Amino acid sequence: MGKTLAYKILEDHLLEGNLIPGEEITIKMDQTLTQDSTGTMVYLQLEAMDIEKVKTELSVAYIDHNTLQTGFENADDHAFIKSVAQRHGVIFSKPGNGICHQLHLESYGIPGKTLLGSDSHTPTGGGLGMIAIGAGGLDVAVAMAKGTYSLTVPEVFNVELKGQLRPWVSAKDVILKVLQELTVKGGVGRIIEYTGEGVKSLSVTDRATITNMGAELGATTSVFPSDENTKAFLEHEGRGDDFVALAADEDAEYDGHLLIDLSELVPMAAKPHSPDNVDTVENIGQIKVDQVAIGSCTNSSYTDLMKVAEILKGKKVHPDVSLVISPGSSKITEKMAKNGALADIIASGARVIENACGPCIGMGQSPKSGAVSLRTFNRNFKGRSGTNDAQVYLVSPETAAISAINGVLSDGMKSGMDITQPEMADFVQNENFIVYPEGHDTKNTEVAMGPNIKPFPRNEAPFGDIIAMVTLKAGDNITTDDIMPSDSRLLPYRSNVPHLANYCFEKIDPEFAARCKDIGQCVIVGGENYGQGSSREHAALAPLHLGVRFVIAKSFARIHRSNLINSGIIPLVFDDPSDYDKIEQGARLILEDIVGMLEDSQYKDEFDVIDTNNAKIYKCHGNFSDLEREMLLAGGKINYIKGE
Ligand code: MIC
Ligand code: SF4
């Protein structure tokens, strides 16, 4: 039987275990990336791990999320990360250089290598033929310290592409189509591997748009082959030597298959408030638009923005629309400043802002009350824009630009306007935004610790019975944005969990934090796909701070489940999902003899949760690997590592 590309790369990096779906393996991690809003936690850990140099081939610390600097907090975080990066051999990318995933693609990603990032959109690197995985900060810190990462082997699901996209239809429409077919749960426990003759018509940045939003499918990662287009991309970036040709075997067998005919696709949009709530732009109709935002790690490449410039050239942004553009990297902005495209964009009435995440994570540019905002981003969760009643639609750059001119959601295919596929340009690395750790006495660099940076929260090893009260009963597809909201008000406090914890679940239940503080020992009950979205471990650390001991759900999203285990919070899954309906908020639940249950040498993965409210027993399981059980017994990953 032929091999999939994903398993070929995993096999090349395999250190422990067997490549069998569901089994735990440890792989060599070649590269890591961090960004600032998850990064301070990562580097607090790295600093505590007493290592001299990171064990990876390359580690980069990007500053791209918290760049508003409305107070000292963000700037202190940047200084802290820079100092720790310097001490441990990590490359530092200054604020303003751009968005981590776009920059990593341009400057450091290499086909066939593994990459772990403290950001859920790290799979962007799959566009270059990497196995690139998003994880919680602590997992990334350990990967830097040891050069390894442990994961449950995913299945490999094949998306076969045939045909070629028509003008006005682009990579964003492909991934929106996949999301429509598979939903936000469709990728859980899977790697999505793209094959077929249609792949040849997609550039690396098109492919990266698709692998980036594989995060919205819940997939472990997504991967494209590395071919002539990959070679061309690397050559244009001045890195032709990094090219390696990679593909699945012709007779590779997959655990599932979806065929997409690119030539049949039309412009699509994800309607509020979920990336899988997809329909065609034509079906949604010409709704009036108040804001258009172009950028984010999904759609801020040079070719994306050149298409936008072509559409806007000589035109005027509609008087009722605010068009805001945040380019993906300094190199892109510099190139577009030189070739005149930036002038065309500005002349149209667009607001061009910093090369950073910006509006994608609610760091400014929140739309007006009740506004319709079209965004080329990857998430349209309720309130993420910073405006709770805004209606956010996810669209391609082409759809965004033509709609900004028309003032209504518009299908470019019907505009009568010709659009060309922009040529790639030749780039040189802008070294002026990079600080390398080499060159001086890095070990003695002083750690710059601002007053807002608080210690990493620690749990205690569990003992006896856990008796806890259901403090929140949440529904399906709860996001980590729901659990630990992030916007310009809260993002500056990512290094201060005690402060952040006051806002835990704020948008769903403003009393949650206060109730937890009164109760002491708490349980959260969730529906399907609990904890989807961002990799922020704050969505586990804030509940830990508030006394949450275990979470029972119908199913969990991968990264959040790991973050819970890393914090020593026990994630349990109902054997019978209908038990969810029997639990009431306020009920007192007992998880008996937790240590005995986890330690049992005949480990059966059976957990009985007794509901003292109605005397029912809910049978649950954990699906814990041996390593996960040991971490839970130690009260979390840090305690486990310290005791190793
Ligand atoms: C996101 O897009 O949700 C973020 C902000 O990049 C997060 C990371 C974070 O919460 O800091 C992610 O995708 O992991
Ligand atoms: Fe930044 Fe948005 Fe990408 Fe997250 S999804 S890394 S906030 S641009």
Side-chain angles (χ1 to χ4, degrees):
M1 183 178 100
K3 285 184 191 148
T4 64
L5 172 56
Y7 277 22
K8 283 188 192 184
I9 302 175
L10 288 174
E11 200 172 72
D12 255 11
H13 290 79
L14 194 62
L15 298 174
E16 274 170 41
N18 301 308
L19 260 181
I20 299 171
E23 294 211 0
E24 177 157 271
I25 53 168
T26 301
I27 55 170
K28 175 175 180 294
M29 203 36 86
D30 301 322
Q31 303 187 344
T32 61
L33 71 78
T34 58
Q35 42 90 338
D36 49 318
S37 65
T38 53
T40 45
M41 289 294 157
V42 176
Y43 293 106
L44 278 170
Q45 282 323 302
L46 191 68
E47 197 42 33
M49 275 182 222
D50 263 358
I51 57 144
E52 242 175 58
K53 273 209 164 252
V54 292
K55 301 272 188 332
T56 47
E57 293 168 11
L58 172 113
S59 288
V60 191
Y62 297 96
I63 306 291
D64 55 358
H65 281 62
N66 295 336
T67 58
L68 271 188
Q69 297 172 231
T70 44
F72 64 89
E73 293 88 354
N74 293 164
D76 281 2
D77 285 352
H78 303 169
F80 166 71
I81 292 174
K82 180 163 174 267
S83 65
V84 181
Q86 196 70 203
R87 279 163 67 85
H88 299 291
V90 175
I91 295 172
F92 179 78
S93 164
K94 290 167 80 174
N97 194 20
I99 307 172
C100 57
H101 307 303
Q102 175 64 30
L103 289 170
H104 207 82
L105 210 61
E106 291 174 357
S107 303
Y108 302 111
I110 299 178
K113 296 276 182 190
T114 51
L115 165 70
L116 195 73
S118 66
D119 191 279
S120 66
H121 291 104
T122 305
T124 311
L128 262 181
M130 303 183 83
I131 288 293
I133 302 176
L138 187 46
D139 287 326
V140 179
V142 174
M144 281 195 255
K146 297 187 173 179
T148 64
Y149 176 62
S150 302
L151 74 157
T152 306
V153 180
E155 293 184 338
V156 185
F157 183 91
N158 178 221
V159 177
E160 186 188 342
L161 304 177
K162 69 171 202 178
Q164 203 168 337
L165 294 169
R166 292 176 288 173
W168 290 100
V169 188
S170 64
K172 183 59 153 280
D173 302 305
V174 179
I175 188 63
L176 288 175
K177 179 71 189 167
V178 178
L179 273 154
Q180 187 183 41
E181 296 286 333
L182 300 183
T183 79
V184 289
K185 293 185 299 195
V188 176
R190 288 170 161 174
I191 294 176
I192 312 290
E193 185 164 313
Y194 290 84
T195 63
E197 37 101 10
V199 164
K200 289 198 204 84
S201 64
L202 300 174
S203 68
V204 164
T205 47
D206 292 337
R207 296 172 188 181
T209 295
I210 294 170
T211 56
N212 172 284
M213 274 191 87
E216 276 52 71
L217 294 164
T220 303
T221 190
S222 304
V223 65
F224 271 86
S226 170
D227 58 9
E228 285 305 305
N229 296 2
T230 321
K231 189 165 182 252
F233 174 84
L234 289 169
E235 281 168 355
H236 280 297
E237 293 293 339
R239 301 198 291 124
D241 290 349
D242 286 339
F243 174 69
V244 198
L246 295 169
D249 291 335
E250 288 281 325
D251 56 345
E253 276 188 26
Y254 292 93
D255 302 298
H257 176 256
L258 173 69
L259 176 67
I260 292 190
D261 186 346
L262 299 177
S263 44
E264 281 178 3
L265 291 183
V266 293
M268 316 282 279
K271 297 179 284 181
H273 298 285
S274 177
D276 63 356
N277 190 14
V278 173
D279 204 345
T280 63
V281 166
E282 188 180 15
N283 282 349
I284 298 168
Q286 299 191 348
I287 48 172
K288 192 166 166 12
V289 171
D290 303 288
Q291 184 194 50
V292 175
I294 297 176
S296 92
C297 55
T298 318
N299 277 122
S300 61
S301 66
Y302 174 74
T303 41
D304 276 347
L305 297 189
M306 285 301 288
K307 278 189 268 186
V308 169
E310 185 190 339
I311 297 166
L312 294 179
K313 187 171 181 171
K315 304 275 183 335
K316 180 181 174 180
V317 172
H318 191 278
D320 295 340
V321 173
S322 170
L323 170 62
V324 58
I325 300 182
S326 41
S329 77
S330 55
K331 285 201 304 195
I332 296 172
T333 318
E334 185 192 347
K335 181 69 72 186
M336 292 179 68
K338 284 194 177 133
N339 70 16
L342 191 60
D344 294 333
I345 288 178
I346 294 170
S348 73
R351 305 163 67 180
V352 179
I353 58 168
E354 196 174 15
N355 313 310
C357 298
C360 178
I361 187 60
M363 293 300 272
Q365 282 70 42
S366 296
K368 71 177 186 189
S369 297
V372 168
S373 175
L374 302 188
R375 301 180 157 216
T376 66
F377 308 165
N378 46 40
R379 291 185 172 143
N380 58 346
F381 304 146
K382 192 168 191 302
R384 183 176 160 100
S385 64
T387 304
N388 218 24
D389 61 0
Q391 305 292 310
V392 176
Y393 291 72
L394 305 176
V395 296
S396 71
E398 293 89 331
T399 302
I402 188 79
S403 304
I405 297 168
N406 294 343
V408 292
L409 178 65
S410 306
D411 179 341
M413 287 177 102
K414 306 216 158 44
S415 67
M417 196 194 288
D418 285 337
I419 182 172
T420 52
Q421 184 59 35
E423 293 290 311
M424 270 292 292
D426 288 328
F427 290 96
V428 278
Q429 168 102 2
N430 185 349
E431 297 284 341
N432 298 342
F433 274 102
I434 298 292
V435 182
Y436 290 102
E438 289 89 13
H440 51 274
D441 188 5
T442 52
K443 225 178 86 199
N444 291 327
T445 310
E446 206 178 310
V447 176
M449 190 72 110
N452 183 49
I453 303 177
K454 304 290 178 221
F456 193 95
R458 297 271 288 267
N459 204 339
E460 286 167 4
F463 58 88
D465 302 342
I466 300 180
I467 306 172
M469 191 184 273
V470 179
T471 330
L472 183 77
K473 195 171 164 191
D476 289 343
N477 295 320
I478 288 293
T479 70
T480 42
D481 281 42
D482 293 326
I483 305 171
M484 196 58 262
S486 269
D487 52 26
S488 57
R489 186 184 44 127
L490 293 180
L491 217 51
Y493 295 97
R494 281 296 186 89
S495 312
N496 186 344
V497 171
H499 178 82
L500 269 189
N502 296 321
Y503 303 90
C504 195
F505 279 109
E506 189 197 27
K507 291 199 177 105
I508 292 186
D509 180 351
E511 303 307 318
F512 174 81
R515 226 170 29 245
C516 284
K517 285 182 185 163
D518 280 352
I519 293 166
Q521 301 238 87
C522 312
V523 190
I524 296 168
V525 175
E528 296 283 3
N529 201 23
Y530 179 81
Q532 66 158 334
S534 152
S535 67
R536 65 190 69 144
E537 58 199 334
H538 306 76
L541 298 175
L544 170 67
H545 180 82
L546 294 170
V548 174
R549 303 297 308 279
F550 61 102
V551 180
I552 321 178
K554 292 184 188 170
S555 65
F556 286 90
R558 177 185 63 90
I559 307 179
H560 185 59
R561 178 179 174 277
S562 296
N563 286 338
L564 288 172
I565 295 173
N566 288 351
S567 328
I569 298 177
I570 304 161
L572 294 177
V573 177
F574 291 109
D575 281 4
D576 176 0
S578 71
D579 280 348
Y580 169 90
D581 300 314
K582 298 174 191 145
I583 301 187
E584 278 180 22
Q585 191 161 309
R588 206 167 279 283
L589 304 184
I590 305 176
L591 189 53
E592 279 181 329
D593 183 24
I594 183 63
V595 176
M597 305 269 248
L598 286 166
E599 250 175 5
D600 190 353
S601 59
Q602 302 293 304
Y603 178 64
K604 295 187 224 45
D605 191 31
E606 286 170 5
F607 297 84
D608 287 348
V609 178
I610 305 164
D611 189 335
T612 59
N613 217 24
N614 54 18
K616 292 203 183 321
I617 296 179
Y618 310 121
K619 297 247 172 244
C620 297
H621 58 276
N623 291 323
F624 301 126
S625 67
D626 289 343
L627 176 64
E628 288 173 340
R629 281 198 283 148
E630 286 182 37
M631 290 198 288
L632 286 173
L633 282 165
K637 188 162 185 153
I638 304 180
N639 298 353
Y640 171 75
I641 293 170
K642 298 254 173 214
E644 244 180 343

